[in-house]
Structures are given as structure tokens and as C-alpha cells.
Amino acid sequence: MPTLILTARDMRGLYTVDLGLEAVERAFRAHGRGESLMPPKVYLSLPKYDGDFRAMPAYLDGAAGVKWVNAHPRNPQKHQLPTVRALYILSDPDTASPLAILDGTLLTAWRTGCAGGVASKFLARPKPRTLGLVGCGVQARVLIDAHRALFGDMELLLADASESAAKALQAERGGRVVSLQEASGADIVCTSTPSRTPVVKREWLTPGAHINAMGADAPGKQELDPRILTEGRVFIDDTEQATHSGEVNVPLHDGLLRVEQIAGTLGEVVAGTRPGRARDEVTVFDSTGLAVQDLALARALYEKARAQSVGQTLDIVGG
């Protein structure tokens, strides 16, 4: 059976934000209902190369797949390459044939941005007017696109340790370059940094704010003042992943936060089995990235590519 190859260029022509939001919300709902299979990420740490690899398999609704993805924070400085590079293999669970091989770098960025958008849809207060971006890299761009698709033309408050990064994002998407404190005072705050020490303080937040904590994806990483988690209403994407490597991992390890204080998973909220925002409290979504999100979006892109005859087919696997 031939395998469809979808390059980054192919995928840019297929992808829309609405397609991404629909696929990711569907993945959250299935995960919340227990209708998917998603073993924990497998980490291959390579300190010699200042990075790691991760294997992320999943099964959902008659489709299976795996993403081979890295995190090499020094790639831009050392090799002039992106921090994240990935491939995705989409398989037929019945025959085990590889249906498609896709660029996983764009897939990762898109589904992560859409995950933040879906979280804000279900957890933020109605009609948010300001979006604070703490960290102005690739993820900030897709987070902006997802939120604008859902909420319209929000005012953007941009903050980054690199002023040039913030100004570059401003030139592309508009908004204002501001301090960390001002960005943290937005209606919705999205953090996407590699920080291992908190960059957002509790006292900077406005009452009823919603935070998408997207940066912590490995043990020891954290972006938020622990008081934000202990005083707010915290939702995670997956219990095992988040407690091991999400925003909650350090406060849990240090004894500042208990597992019982976590309000639930976002999937449970999307599925309607657990309440989301209760009052005007601060809500937090702790995102580590779910393999079922990659799978749902990869499948949607594959089906659209087949319908539009996009991509190249190759006979890779014999038999």
C-alpha cells in the first residue's frame, strides 16, 4: 500500500485554524471520555547534544500514529535550526500499513496553539479583550491565530526576554511590546518559554484571568509563581504527563501543591463530565502536549490531502 508524503509546503496549503481547532477539541473530548489510547511519552535524553527525543504514540477512532519529536533549545544558536523538529507516521491500525508520513514540526506548533485556544474557549471568561504573550517565539504566533479565530481581534500584549523577538512578533501580528508584568495582566495569558524559574508572579494577574501554561514539558521546568497554582483552579491535559513534566511538576515535587488540588483534565471539561470555571477565580491550563492531538490533526490533514490529491505517494514498506 503506498504511503502519502506530506511536506511542510503541502501542509501549509491544507491547514486552516478552524480545522486545527476542531481536530484538537475532538481529541480533548475523546481523551476526557476515555475513548483513546495514549501511552506515556518515551524520553530519550541526550545531554551530550543539549537535547532530547520523544516518541508519542496514540490510537483514536480507527487511526493510529506516532510522532518522533525533539527539544534542542540550543539548535538556533548552534546550527541555525529550529528548536523543535519532528516527523509523524500515520498508520492503518487494521493492516499496520503506513498511510502517511507528515512534517511533524508544523503539526506540533499548530496543535499546541489550538490546544491553548480550546482551553481558553472552555475556561476563560466570556468576551476576553486582551491576550498576553509571555514568550514571543513560534508558539506565540499560533496561539495568537487560534485565539483570534475564537475571540476576534484581541489586543496583544507582547513580552519576551529578547526585545527583538517581541518586536518581530509585533511587526507580524500587531499589538504592543510591554513588560512581563503588563503582559501578565491580560484577560488571557499564554506562557511559552523554556524557563526553569517562574516568570509570571501571582500579584501581576487580574481577577478572573485565564492562563495557558504551554512551556513546561520536562521535569524541572516551570513558568508560573507556585501561588498561582495553589490559589487558582488548575486543569491539566493528562495526569501522568503533567505531574511528571508539566507546570505542576515542580510545585508537586517541592510539596507546595497536592495532586488533590488539581481540578481535573481539560478533556473532562470539554466532555462535560467535570465543571470548568466556577467563579471569578484564576484558571490555569497546564499543557504538556497530547499524542492524541497530533493524531487527530494528522488524520484531518491526511483526509483533506487525499480529497484534494495533495502530496506524493511512495511504496516504502514491502509486502
Side-chain angles (χ1 to χ4, degrees):
M1 183 176 184
T3 302
L4 182 65
I5 309 297
L6 293 177
T7 65
R9 181 177 180 180
D10 294 330
M11 290 173 60
R12 285 191 180 96
L14 295 165
Y15 179 76
T16 65
V17 180
D18 288 341
L19 181 143
L21 287 167
E22 181 182 350
V24 169
E25 184 173 330
R26 184 167 64 250
F28 273 122
R29 184 173 292 108
H31 184 257
R33 291 175 176 170
E35 297 171 349
S36 61
L37 298 174
M38 191 184 70
K41 293 180 187 179
V42 177
Y43 284 82
L44 179 63
S45 296
L46 300 170
K48 177 180 176 180
Y49 299 100
D50 301 308
D52 64 62
F53 286 100
R54 303 143 193 215
M56 299 175 61
Y59 169 84
L60 173 64
D61 192 25
V66 62
K67 183 170 73 176
W68 181 241
V69 61
N70 75 300
H72 282 58
R74 295 184 61 195
N75 249 7
Q77 291 76 32
K78 289 175 63 179
H79 306 295
Q80 292 73 57
L81 292 171
T83 297
V84 176
R85 314 191 81 199
L87 283 175
Y88 197 87
I89 301 174
L90 181 68
S91 298
D92 180 344
D94 185 30
T95 66
S97 300
L99 299 174
I101 298 175
L102 302 82
D103 168 68
T105 307
L106 284 174
L107 189 75
T108 300
W110 289 334
R111 64 84 155 144
T112 305
C114 289
V118 171
S120 296
K121 174 182 175 180
F122 283 88
L123 297 177
R125 289 181 298 179
K127 299 181 180 178
R129 294 178 296 176
T130 53
L131 179 66
L133 285 306
V134 177
C136 295
V138 172
Q139 283 306 316
R141 288 158 170 79
V142 291
L143 284 161
I144 290 169
D145 293 343
H147 282 81
R148 281 180 165 170
L150 288 165
F151 302 111
D153 193 20
M154 305 172 71
E155 181 185 8
L156 305 180
L157 306 178
L158 313 176
D160 195 287
S162 166
E163 186 177 359
S164 62
K167 287 184 175 179
L169 180 57
Q170 180 188 39
E172 292 179 26
R173 297 291 201 274
R176 293 190 290 121
V177 176
V178 299
S179 66
L180 281 173
Q181 180 172 350
E182 188 170 354
S184 300
D187 295 333
I188 297 174
V189 182
C190 297
T191 60
S192 53
T193 75
S195 182
R196 290 181 172 269
T197 57
V199 294
V200 176
K201 296 182 180 181
R202 172 65 183 91
E203 56 266 27
W204 293 348
L205 303 178
T206 57
H210 170 66
I211 304 173
N212 292 313
M214 315 299 288
D217 60 355
K221 286 188 175 183
Q222 63 176 151
E223 301 180 292
L224 307 182
D225 179 341
R227 289 186 301 144
I228 296 172
L229 304 177
T230 57
E231 298 175 14
R233 189 166 171 83
V234 180
F235 296 86
I236 56 181
D237 56 7
D238 179 76
T239 301
E240 183 154 355
Q241 284 188 187
T243 55
H244 175 263
S245 58
E247 182 62 38
V248 298
N249 88 90
V250 174
L252 286 172
H253 179 270
D254 292 345
L256 301 174
L257 180 72
R258 303 187 314 275
V259 172
E260 297 77 27
Q261 291 176 270
I262 297 171
T265 69
L266 179 59
E268 291 170 325
V269 177
V270 175
T273 61
R274 192 175 292 265
R277 173 176 291 275
R279 297 175 298 279
D280 230 18
E281 73 274 75
V282 169
T283 54
V284 179
F285 171 53
D286 178 357
S287 175
T288 58
L290 301 183
V292 291
Q293 297 167 356
D294 295 306
L295 175 58
L297 183 51
R299 184 178 187 179
L301 290 164
Y302 168 72
E303 291 174 349
K304 188 172 181 180
R306 288 195 63 192
Q308 297 183 2
S309 299
V310 173
Q312 179 183 1
T313 56
L314 295 174
D315 285 314
I316 297 175
V317 178

